Amino acid sequence: MSVRFKGTELRPVLLEAVVNQCRVVLVKDQGVYFLAERGERRPDGHQKLIAYAVGCNPDVDAFDDWWELARAEFGGDDFGEFFDPREGVFALILHSANDLEVSATPTHLSLKTVTPPPNGN
């Protein structure tokens, strides 16, 4: 099992991190998402640019659905993992039309680029 991040939503977050010379963070708490470590804030204090995993956005997906998908893939604990947006798979995402697929074991995260589905979902 894995979760997918749409490249169209992830690229702005990666670019924000590159411009701000900071890392990107994969977070699992209220959903599963990437954000820049030092990103622009909205008036309410929340981060402006956030890229949610498909099916794990609490603003659009039913609680039971996103919570179960996040728990099944990443376990029950909340976490944050930091990555350099200029290296590895993120550099590929920045310079392509690909999406990112993330899967997890109890000790490792695996990230790989994938071609977006034909319908864009």
Side-chain angles (χ1 to χ4, degrees):
M1 195 163 132
S2 62
V3 296
R4 184 173 50 87
F5 291 86
K6 293 181 181 180
T8 55
E9 296 175 12
L10 184 55
R11 270 185 288 287
V13 171
L14 297 174
L15 287 170
E16 181 176 50
V18 168
V19 167
N20 291 336
Q21 299 180 6
C22 64
R23 299 173 292 180
V24 290
V25 188
L26 172 63
V27 179
K28 185 227 172 233
D29 57 12
Q30 290 297 313
V32 177
Y33 54 93
F34 276 99
L35 51 73
E37 187 176 27
R38 291 189 303 270
E40 184 180 352
R41 299 282 177 172
R42 299 185 317 212
D44 65 6
H46 290 95
Q47 193 100 358
K48 187 173 181 179
L49 292 176
I50 296 175
Y52 282 95
V54 174
C56 291
N57 182 342
D59 293 335
V60 297
D61 300 307
F63 174 83
D64 289 342
D65 295 340
W66 74 255
W67 187 88
E68 183 54 34
L69 178 57
R71 188 204 58 75
E73 188 57 41
F74 300 107
D77 293 336
D78 293 350
F79 69 84
E81 283 290 325
F82 294 79
F83 300 93
D84 185 334
R86 296 171 298 270
E87 293 185 1
V89 70
F90 298 108
L92 295 172
I93 296 292
L94 275 170
H95 302 290
S96 74
N98 289 334
D99 291 349
L100 176 69
E101 187 175 271
V102 179
S103 58
T105 69
T107 58
H108 292 87
L109 290 172
S110 296
L111 296 87
K112 70 177 184 175
T113 61
V114 293
T115 303
N119 63 3
N121 292 328

